[in-house]
Amino acid sequence: MPTSLQNDIGDRLSQALQHVSISEDAIEQLRYPKASLTVSIPVRMDDGSLRMFQGYRVRYDDTRGPTKGGVRYHPRVTLEEVQSLAFWMTFKCAVMDLPFGGAKGGIALDPKELSKLELERLSRGYIDAIADFIGPDVDILAPDMYTNATIMGWMMDRYSTIRRQHAPAVVTGKPLTLGGSQRRDTATAMGAYLAIATIMGKFSQKPNQTTVAIQGFGNAGAVLATELAQAGYKVVAVSDSQGGIYAKQGLNIPSLRQYKEANRSMKAVYCQGSVCNVVEHEVISNEELLQLDVDILIPAALGNQITGENAHKIRAKWIFEVANGPITPHGDRILASRGVQVVPDILVNAGGVTVSYFEWLQNRSGLYWRGEEVSQRLQERMVHETECVWSLAQEKDIDCRTAAYVRGLQRLGEAIVAKGTRDYYLS
């Protein structure tokens, strides 16, 4: 396993282990992924040429159940990154008390360079390569960065063809007509909103007095911005991969989303019908957005955005991690020393895997829920687990990230101990 991954995992675990007592066997088991697979995927391109793509799938730990995790398409996907994400998924599922372990997958490519037909061949080829490594009772896939419901549908269909049986539960995040769940497309954002509202509701500061900056305006960031704005929060800055915009008076999020969908770019606008007028705003970089003087900063794009190099420039009072791993351990320590409260990704963005669990349950039972029921179940679980993490942080006088890992470690440790440890066999 790569040294940097060992260091990262060791740092997260060592902080939590100071506040929880679990078996040495459990600690040793959680330091290493259970299984890692690297595959080469041949794809016939539209011009007739053959191109090879590198793909990965990692099952980190399955003590609490079959592993669960997304598949991402991105040029910078590596085995090390996938292992790190699978580790975080293990703890995310434990924090949310889901009967899953953690997994992750990915293919190294720029999906914008491929046609839709090439993407379909690639997605089906990935399943051809990993079919023996996954399954509804072994490892369940889901959408992640630059993958979507359509791609998940292709993957489910290919797996079903290989197994000669209908197997919708092997993949979540599918189209509704192929067994997907209501509200899965907005689950990550809604879960994040519930976590933010639960924690911020404990303080006297009102939503209309609270400024927010969101780095990342994809599906999760845009929906979350909408929910926060509707709740009265003042969203003053957002950004995508090209850069961001800042308006001190606050942004009109519905108009901004309408303009971006129509023009593939972002400007602070106010729309009436199809007519959008530009309003006063500043164009800023993603780095400048991170350094804005706001109450809440929400990294909802790529990982490793706040590091030891820029953490001392962060002026937000609260950071809610919607992206996976947006803050490095070094950045974490600097933020903690400056009193910045960080609520971690393994709690904040867990709405996606929670509704994926609901989808898996529905696929297994054949009984499908209305959207209102999905939302109610998500709210109950997100609010309950956020309250538990917050209470644990207050009880032990530790930060929220450490508290979330402590809660995950307690559940993972109990499951590992239940299978037998050194203390049991030597007693």
Side-chain angles (χ1 to χ4, degrees):
M1 183 171 60
T3 302
S4 59
L5 174 61
Q6 284 182 317
N7 292 340
D8 191 5
I9 292 175
D11 188 272
R12 302 300 193 202
L13 288 178
S14 62
Q15 292 293 320
L17 285 170
Q18 297 176 33
H19 307 281
V20 62
S21 178
I22 66 171
S23 163
E24 295 263 348
D25 291 17
I27 298 170
E28 183 66 13
Q29 181 172 319
L30 291 170
R31 289 190 185 279
Y32 300 92
K34 178 171 184 176
S36 300
L37 181 66
T38 300
V39 296
S40 295
I41 309 161
V43 175
R44 183 67 62 186
M45 308 302 283
D46 291 345
D47 64 2
S49 64
L50 183 70
R51 184 174 168 188
M52 301 297 291
F53 294 88
Q54 202 76 7
Y56 310 95
R57 188 69 186 175
V58 175
R59 303 197 310 253
Y60 200 91
D61 183 86
D62 61 0
T63 306
R64 289 172 49 85
T67 55
K68 183 81 181 70
V71 181
R72 58 176 47 191
Y73 290 177
H74 194 273
R76 294 205 297 268
V77 166
T78 64
L79 179 60
E80 180 178 0
E81 179 196 46
V82 171
Q83 286 179 329
S84 297
L85 293 167
F87 168 79
W88 285 321
M89 279 298 300
T90 300
F91 277 83
K92 189 183 301 184
C93 291
V95 166
M96 297 306 295
D97 201 18
L98 305 178
F100 291 140
K104 211 71 173 185
I107 304 176
L109 81 151
D110 183 351
K112 297 174 185 177
E113 295 179 353
L114 273 64
S115 71
K116 290 180 180 178
L117 283 171
E118 289 168 340
L119 277 176
E120 180 179 4
R121 293 180 205 122
L122 174 70
S123 302
R124 291 178 180 274
Y126 179 64
I127 298 303
D128 286 340
I130 69 168
D132 293 333
F133 200 72
I134 62 175
D137 296 306
V138 179
D139 180 26
I140 303 119
L141 281 58
D144 199 273
M145 188 181 299
Y146 297 120
T147 55
N148 56 26
T150 298
I151 291 172
M152 294 302 108
W154 292 334
M155 290 183 176
M156 185 276 287
D157 182 65
R158 185 58 187 162
Y159 182 84
S160 296
T161 300
I162 292 169
R163 295 300 182 207
R164 299 293 191 269
Q165 61 185 20
H166 188 54
V170 72
V171 171
T172 61
K174 306 178 294 294
L176 290 176
T177 53
L178 295 179
S181 175
Q182 296 280 349
R183 308 288 168 88
R184 174 58 184 88
D185 56 340
T186 59
T188 300
M190 288 306 302
Y193 168 74
L194 290 166
I196 293 168
T198 299
I199 289 180
M200 298 308 295
K202 300 180 181 301
F203 300 91
S204 58
Q205 186 168 322
K206 303 300 181 185
N208 60 8
Q209 302 169 335
T210 306
T211 54
V212 182
I214 303 176
Q215 185 200 44
F217 206 65
N219 182 50
V223 174
L224 178 55
T226 301
E227 293 298 323
L228 289 169
Q230 288 178 348
Y233 289 85
K234 193 174 180 181
V235 181
V236 298
V238 297
S239 68
D240 61 13
S241 59
Q242 304 303 311
I245 55 175
Y246 168 68
K248 188 175 182 180
Q249 72 275 16
L251 295 166
N252 186 300
I253 300 301
S255 295
L256 176 57
R257 292 182 68 182
Q258 178 181 331
Y259 184 89
K260 182 177 181 184
E261 186 173 337
N263 298 279
R264 301 295 179 186
S265 64
M266 290 204 304
K267 286 186 178 179
V269 294
Y270 177 74
C271 298
Q272 288 185 310
S274 61
V275 179
C276 295
N277 295 313
V278 177
V279 298
E280 184 179 351
H281 67 278
E282 295 178 38
V283 176
I284 59 175
S285 67
N286 273 288
E287 185 69 19
E288 289 171 328
L289 181 141
L290 295 174
Q291 299 170 20
L292 289 174
D293 185 8
V294 293
D295 298 304
I296 296 175
L297 173 62
I298 301 175
L302 297 172
N304 298 329
Q305 296 299 293
I306 300 176
T307 68
E309 299 297 320
N310 65 356
H312 63 282
K313 299 178 183 177
I314 303 300
R315 292 189 283 173
K317 303 178 184 68
W318 289 87
I319 299 177
F320 289 86
E321 296 181 326
V322 173
N324 288 309
I327 306 176
T328 66
H330 188 191
D332 245 348
R333 289 189 288 271
I334 294 173
L335 293 172
S337 71
R338 298 179 57 240
V340 179
Q341 298 279 348
V342 177
V343 186
D345 48 3
I346 61 171
L347 173 64
V348 177
N349 71 20
V353 71
T354 301
V355 176
S356 278
Y357 166 56
F358 297 161
E359 181 176 331
W360 181 78
L361 283 176
Q362 293 169 82
N363 292 158
R364 301 303 294 268
S365 68
L367 178 65
Y368 289 84
W369 308 339
R370 297 186 307 275
E372 295 77 11
E373 185 174 358
V374 173
S375 294
Q376 181 182 350
R377 289 173 182 265
L378 174 62
Q379 180 174 353
E380 289 172 355
R381 194 172 289 252
M382 282 299 309
V383 171
H384 174 72
E385 296 302 339
T386 301
E387 291 280 10
C388 288
V389 169
W390 177 258
S391 296
L392 187 61
Q394 303 311 300
E395 174 192 333
K396 294 184 175 291
D397 192 25
I398 54 179
D399 60 85
C400 283
R401 187 188 305 282
T402 303
Y405 274 92
V406 167
R407 188 154 179 80
L409 270 175
Q410 289 171 335
R411 286 174 170 155
L412 287 162
E414 289 168 359
I416 292 170
V417 166
K419 293 187 175 183
T421 63
R422 181 181 64 178
D423 292 340
Y424 171 80
Y425 292 112
L426 296 182
S427 62

